[in-house]
Amino acid sequence: MPLRVCLVCLGNICRSPTAEAVLRERAARAGLSRELRIESAGTGGHHEGERADPRSREHGARRGYDLRGRARRFHRDDFARFDLVLAMDASNASALRRLAPDAAAREKVRLFRSFDPSAAPGAEVPDPYYGGPAGFDEVIDLCERAADGLIAEVARSRPRGD
Ligand code: 4NP
C-alpha cells in the first residue's frame, strides 16, 4: 500500500503544487514512485479551478519540475484519503487541524519541512505570492530538502526485497 500524501498551502497555486511536482520528481528519481501517492490542495478556495501561478510554473520548469493540475480546496472528507497531510506553514496546519473530524485525522497533519533534517523545528515554506522572483526559487529549494527527507523515510520503511 503506497503512502498517501497531500501537500497543502493556502491557495494551492504556488507552494503546494511546487511541493507536489518536486516530491513526485524526486520520488521517481529514487525509484519510489510506486511507494507514494501524491496530491496537493489548499485550505482556501479563492483559486479553485485555476492552474498553478505562472511564476511557480516558470520557476519550476526551469528546474525541471512540471506543475500540472488545477487548484482545489482540501475538504474534511479528504482526511480519510491520506496518511499524511503536509502543511506548508503554521497557519495552514492550524486550519487543517480545525477542519479535522477527529484526533486520528489531526495526527496526520504535519509541517512539510519537519521532514527536512536540516530545518529548525516549526520551520515553514514561506508564501511567495506577494514577493519577488527569489521567493519562488526559495520555495523550490525548501521543497527539495523536505521532499528528500520524506523520501529517505519512505525508503527506510520499505520492506526489503521489494
Ligand atoms: P499558495 O500562495 O498558498 O502558496 O498557493 C498563495 C496564493 C494566493 C494567495 C495567497 C497565497 N492569495 O492571497 O490569493
Side-chain angles (χ1 to χ4, degrees), residues 115-144:
F115 288 93
D116 174 357
S118 69
E124 303 175 305
V125 181
D127 183 355
Y129 191 71
Y130 295 106
F136 288 85
D137 254 339
E138 187 194 16
V139 167
I140 300 173
D141 293 336
L142 300 177
C143 285
E144 286 178 343

Side-chain angles (χ1 to χ4, degrees), residues 3 38 46 49 53 60 63 65 69 71 81 101-102 112 124 156:
L3 185 72
I38 306 159
H46 288 302
D53 187 288
R63 291 176 60 169
Y65 301 114
R81 300 198 300 114
D102 53 30
F112 185 38
E124 303 175 305
R156 272 197 297 276

Side-chain angles (χ1 to χ4, degrees), residues 90-139:
S91 159
N92 310 146
S94 330
L96 287 164
R97 290 191 183 109
R98 282 195 301 272
L99 185 67
D102 53 30
R106 265 194 306 281
E107 280 164 22
K108 295 177 179 181
V109 179
R110 308 248 313 253
L111 284 172
F112 185 38
R113 290 191 69 198
S114 68
F115 288 93
D116 174 357
S118 69
E124 303 175 305
V125 181
D127 183 355
Y129 191 71
Y130 295 106
F136 288 85
D137 254 339
E138 187 194 16
V139 167

